[in-house]
Amino acid sequence: MKLLFVDCCISQRGEGSRTKRLAKAYLDAFLKAHPGTEVETVTPEMLLALRPFDAAMLDERDALAAEKRWDAPVFALARQLRAADAVVVAAPYWDLSYPAALRTYIEYVSANGLTYHYEADGCHGDCRAERLVYLTTGGDVEREDSVGVAHWRQLAAMFGAKRFDYVFAGGLDLVPERTEALLAAQCTLAATLGAEA
């Protein structure tokens, strides 16, 4: 099994990132339940190095796609997503959404003809993973209809995942005395999801 971990745990807390802690709880449980799993990680550094598409880059990508040259470097992240058996995305809750680096990543993996395609009845996913999990933390309370959850739910469907799960550890800065208990509870939930077959 191949697990793709999209690590957008960009935080001023460094190794103390609360989103990273949530992701670790999920990954530890997943690897324990699925021994032998190969984890491929898209690191924060890789995400931050991605250049947003400009008009010329879009023209070049579209020309490559028209020729089905899916081996081109611009499609490397899309190929990686397509081949994964399971996908977990972790990102903090920023400005009612998530870091811009993750939005740029979405542009690279949303490759029509590779990770999804269209037919007369609409969009069909072409990725192997049947499940996508989105993990996020925030100082304020993130709601189910927030941009992060709603967007990744729709992306999961577009890529062909039959199941979408998410965990958000929200409200972590509202009452500092409760921060640890709130985060620990959501880490337990993340571990429960990770342990599922």
Side-chain angles (χ1 to χ4, degrees), residues 144-162:
E144 184 174 349
D145 61 351
S146 74
V147 172
V149 173
H151 195 188
W152 279 100
R153 184 190 305 279
Q154 293 170 25
L155 286 166
M158 183 178 86
F159 295 138
K162 296 179 177 64

Side-chain angles (χ1 to χ4, degrees), residues 1-3 24-35 37-39 85-88 131 133 190-191 193-197:
M1 175 176 287
K2 186 178 296 183
L3 170 67
K24 184 178 187 308
Y26 180 90
L27 291 169
D28 286 351
F30 188 98
L31 294 176
K32 184 176 180 181
H34 305 85
T37 295
E38 176 188 352
V39 179
D85 297 299
V87 179
V88 58
R131 183 184 187 193
V133 176
L193 288 174
E196 293 178 0

Side-chain angles (χ1 to χ4, degrees), residues 92-98 140-143 145-149:
Y93 180 47
W94 281 9
D95 307 322
L96 305 180
S97 181
Y98 42 74
D140 197 356
V141 177
E142 183 175 9
R143 295 165 181 83
D145 61 351
S146 74
V147 172
V149 173

